[in-house]
Amino acid sequence: MTMSPRQSDAQATASDTAEPDLAEIPAYVPPVPPLADTDEAVRAILPMIDADDTPVAADTERACGYRYYQKAYLIQLKTADGGIHLIDPVAVSPTAFADLDARLHGRLWILHAASQDLPSLREAGFTPQHLFDTELAARLLGRPHVGLGALIEDVLGVRLAKDHGNSDWSQRPLPQSWLSYAAGDVEFLIELAAALRRELVEAGKLEWAEQEFDHVIHQPPAEPKAHPWRSLTDLRSVHSRRGLAVAKGLWRIRERLAQEADLSPHRIINDRAITAVAARVTESSVAAAKLTGRDWRREVIGADVLQFRAAIDEVGTMDESDLPPWRPPRHGPPSPGLWERRQPA
């Protein structure tokens, strides 16, 4: 752990009770553990995992914004006595993961923002059953900052280097600086969880937290949205129902192409390009709806362009009764932000 330089005796006497200036603490750079990228390397971890039965701190790195499927491209594990282990799930077989999961069966898993990592861990073959979520604990405690870096700094006085969180973790080989960053995400999780647990006990909220953790780990996957295309950025700029149909059609083509290529949809064509095309459509004509070269985020093959053009042309022939409504039918209560305006009582 890297700490701020020792103050002189005179300074220390004058500031015995002062809080440390965390801005002056150099960022902690963890050493890089070996990357386990073969079944044999994963099996070599097993004796170290067996050496203790302490909680396991875990994290994953995905390629959000780069890939369509949100699977893990790196998995980080740490136990109190077994150290940090970085595992490449792309290169390791399900059998090796099953052996590792068996060694971790029944242990407490410590995650930060667990709902983001649990699907990726489960897809890789892990089956966590008991959870401590440091982000959720911080929220229950009313802490003003709940990000991992801010929490570790506030609670433990260590500043982590946070440089590569938005990187394309699907690329190979992974740079050493990225692996160091990833190791830092689990290095202090066990100590952080212990400190937050003590705060929960003091606040009389430990039982609440355990109920919340149990809910998160047993929560089923979220139901897909009924009308996901309506989340397009700037959809409010579309002023015709035929324009809404164009937006819906282009969104569907983009979604299919993104799935086939395992690319983030925005790397094919971004939201604003779709809504800009749809905004030029009138109730009676799609003639002004044209895609331009600058709308695209990747090299586009001719067949892709033809599919988008065909989707626009199809909307031009739609009967008015087949066009999307301005607003979809609502099921259940409105969002909480609308309660005061719609039902003041």
Side-chain angles (χ1 to χ4, degrees), residues 101-119:
D101 181 58
R103 299 304 204 281
L104 299 172
H105 183 75
R107 295 200 196 185
L108 177 69
W109 286 66
I110 301 172
L111 299 170
H112 186 80
S115 60
Q116 298 179 23
D117 292 301
L118 282 171

Side-chain angles (χ1 to χ4, degrees), residues 260-272:
E260 292 171 354
D262 190 16
L263 284 175
S264 171
H266 299 279
R267 299 185 71 80
I268 295 176
I269 182 172
N270 63 35
D271 278 12
R272 285 188 170 88

Side-chain angles (χ1 to χ4, degrees), residues 210-253:
E210 290 175 340
Q211 291 173 1
E212 293 293 336
F213 301 156
D214 187 67
H215 171 74
V216 169
I217 206 164
H218 291 105
Q219 190 172 24
E223 293 289 333
K225 293 182 179 179
H227 308 279
W229 63 273
R230 289 185 180 271
S231 298
L232 283 165
T233 304
D234 287 347
L235 190 64
R236 290 183 178 181
S237 66
V238 179
H239 299 300
S240 69
R241 290 175 58 213
R242 200 166 298 275
L244 291 180
V246 166
K248 179 180 179 180
L250 297 182
W251 181 91
R252 283 181 168 176
I253 297 295

